[in-house]
Amino acid sequence: MEELIVHIRRKAKELLNAEVEYVEKFENVPNNSVFKILVDRKFYIFKLYKKRTWPEDGKLIFINHKLIENHIGCAKIITFDRNDSYFQTGFLIEEYLPGVNADPIVFDLKSGKEFYKKLALLVSKIHRIHIENYGYIGSGVAGYISFIDFMNDKYDEITNALINKQLFDKNSLLEIKKPVIDRLRLCESLPSVLNHGDLSTKNVMIDEEGELTLIDWDDAMSYNWIADISRMTYWMKFKYNDYEYELYRNTFMEHYSTESTKSDYDTFENLFHVWIGLDHLNYYSNANNPLYENSMAYFKETVERLNFIPFPATYLSNWNNSSTAN
């Protein structure tokens, strides 16, 4: 650790043109290593990445420019670099945002509604940022012209990992895939927009005036607006009781604005929760996380609901035939 701190001080001094007065490591941060540093009486975040390939090169700088261009609050990035011989997987220096993280706050119903109202207004602005194509953003243009082609390939990537870990058999995942992907085809016409990719209270900072700022854009992707909000409501299922969940979810949707039809969200939310659930089961299994069992229980609920979604008749017939065959 001492050697690492020496190199952090060296690199920060080189880029910020001043001595580092203070270094503090944040504990309980998954995946990456994050430090708070003080340079010339100003705090910054120094983040070390675990993987050289994630987040993809160019993405964070592109998003930072887009947020600033659209007058959306964010931590200004000083540098993102994967060329340093010591920090070979990459590092980032960005401004430190003063305030408190929303995750440990226990809302009462009034403050919870106010929080999700403000979050809805913020996310509405973010979803007005259009991205060319779908999927991994890179330096600004995503790789898939078709939304459903990306969702199909990403589903296979997630489920292949689950199969390799012997958590699911291939046939059951194929049976789930067909109704999910077929129904999601109806989202194909929705525009590709900037998605934070990890909308949850742990990625929201609240300043002294009560204003919200989203942090940690590592998982940002180009999807449609429903995908991003579904990620948020998936997390909410594990944070709140049923009454709070419905109240905060409905408050968010009441204040969220989009050029699309908001009622579409009710149709597609469960489908995205199935897809997101598989992704989280894959993640939790890696860490032997106790949340795995809770995630599996909710995943089973979402799959059972597939039979109750008002699919067009042809889709429903295909699902029933598939179930009968197995």
Side-chain angles (χ1 to χ4, degrees):
M1 177 62 77
E2 289 184 9
E3 180 185 355
L4 175 59
I5 297 298
V6 169
H7 283 279
I8 289 174
R9 288 178 176 275
R10 170 189 61 80
K11 181 54 66 173
K13 178 183 177 181
E14 174 188 326
L15 294 169
L16 298 172
N17 299 311
E19 294 287 344
V20 176
E21 304 161 40
Y22 169 85
V23 180
E24 175 190 359
K25 187 176 190 295
F26 287 107
E27 301 300 332
N28 302 317
V29 177
N31 299 323
N32 305 310
S33 298
V34 182
F35 298 82
K36 180 182 179 182
I37 64 174
L38 178 64
V39 181
D40 196 21
R41 295 179 294 178
K42 185 174 181 179
F43 284 108
Y44 298 87
I45 292 295
F46 196 112
K47 180 185 285 190
L48 305 176
Y49 288 97
K50 184 177 181 180
K51 296 182 179 180
R52 186 172 179 81
T53 55
W54 187 257
E56 60 268 40
D57 289 339
K59 177 174 75 176
L60 296 182
I61 298 294
F62 168 78
I63 291 173
N64 205 236
H65 287 164
K66 279 294 183 181
L67 294 174
I68 294 170
E69 176 186 309
N70 286 274
H71 309 289
I72 297 171
C74 60
K76 182 181 178 182
I77 293 177
I78 308 303
T79 189
F80 177 90
D81 189 0
R82 284 196 167 112
N83 297 314
D84 187 275
S85 59
Y86 187 82
F87 304 114
Q88 293 185 6
T89 52
F91 72 93
L92 172 144
I93 301 177
E94 66 181 6
E95 294 177 336
Y96 174 81
L97 294 178
V100 296
N101 186 267
D103 200 45
I105 297 175
V106 179
F107 297 122
D108 58 30
L109 297 183
K110 181 180 178 181
S111 62
K113 287 182 67 176
E114 183 64 19
F115 173 84
Y116 280 100
K117 173 184 175 180
K118 290 181 177 180
L119 186 59
L121 298 175
L122 174 58
V123 174
S124 298
K125 293 179 183 178
I126 291 166
H127 288 171
R128 294 189 191 109
I129 299 176
H130 288 262
I131 306 293
E132 187 174 346
N133 298 337
Y134 299 89
Y136 301 103
I137 295 173
S139 296
V141 178
Y144 284 76
I145 296 174
S146 164
F147 164 74
I148 204 64
D149 284 351
F150 175 72
M151 294 297 286
N152 185 77
D153 286 356
K154 190 65 178 175
Y155 184 97
D156 290 344
E157 176 187 322
I158 294 167
T159 55
N160 284 340
L162 290 167
I163 293 167
N164 290 338
K165 294 171 186 175
Q166 298 183 330
L167 298 172
F168 286 84
D169 68 89
K170 184 175 182 179
N171 288 337
S172 66
L173 291 174
L174 287 173
E175 184 177 349
I176 295 167
K177 178 181 179 180
K178 181 166 180 55
V180 171
I181 296 298
D182 278 354
R183 182 61 173 173
L184 287 178
R185 291 182 192 281
L186 301 178
C187 291
E188 188 71 82
S189 62
L190 294 175
S192 52
V193 299
L194 176 61
N195 276 215
H196 179 272
D198 194 9
L199 277 179
S200 66
T201 50
K202 66 185 175 67
N203 288 322
V204 180
M205 294 296 294
I206 307 176
D207 68 16
E208 290 182 350
E209 297 176 351
E211 296 304 310
L212 310 186
T213 304
L214 279 173
I215 59 172
D216 193 353
W217 289 84
D218 293 353
D219 292 324
M221 301 279 272
S222 177
Y223 290 113
N224 59 50
W225 64 275
I226 300 176
D228 214 17
I229 298 175
S230 295
R231 184 77 65 169
M232 180 193 74
T233 58
Y234 179 91
W235 278 112
M236 290 167 66
K237 279 285 185 181
F238 299 93
K239 188 173 181 67
Y240 304 116
N241 63 40
D242 290 345
Y243 176 77
E244 292 169 330
Y245 172 81
E246 291 296 329
L247 178 66
Y248 298 152
R249 176 189 179 278
N250 292 342
T251 298
F252 182 96
M253 293 308 301
E254 177 185 350
H255 294 282
Y256 177 80
S257 62
T258 175
E259 296 177 358
S260 303
T261 304
K262 284 203 289 186
S263 60
D264 287 345
Y265 185 76
D266 294 329
T267 302
F268 294 108
E269 179 186 40
N270 187 70
L271 288 156
F272 278 103
H273 279 196
V274 174
W275 193 86
I276 294 164
L278 286 167
D279 195 14
H280 281 271
L281 286 171
N282 195 29
Y283 174 75
Y284 289 147
S285 67
N286 288 331
N288 194 24
N289 196 308
L291 291 174
Y292 180 86
E293 293 301 323
N294 291 337
S295 298
M296 177 61 81
Y298 181 58
F299 174 71
K300 290 178 179 177
E301 286 182 34
T302 61
V303 171
E304 288 170 1
R305 286 196 204 109
L306 292 176
N307 283 318
F308 300 101
I309 293 174
F311 286 101
T314 53
Y315 296 155
L316 186 59
S317 174
N318 288 339
W319 170 253
N320 288 336
N321 289 340
S322 176
S323 298
T324 303
N326 287 281

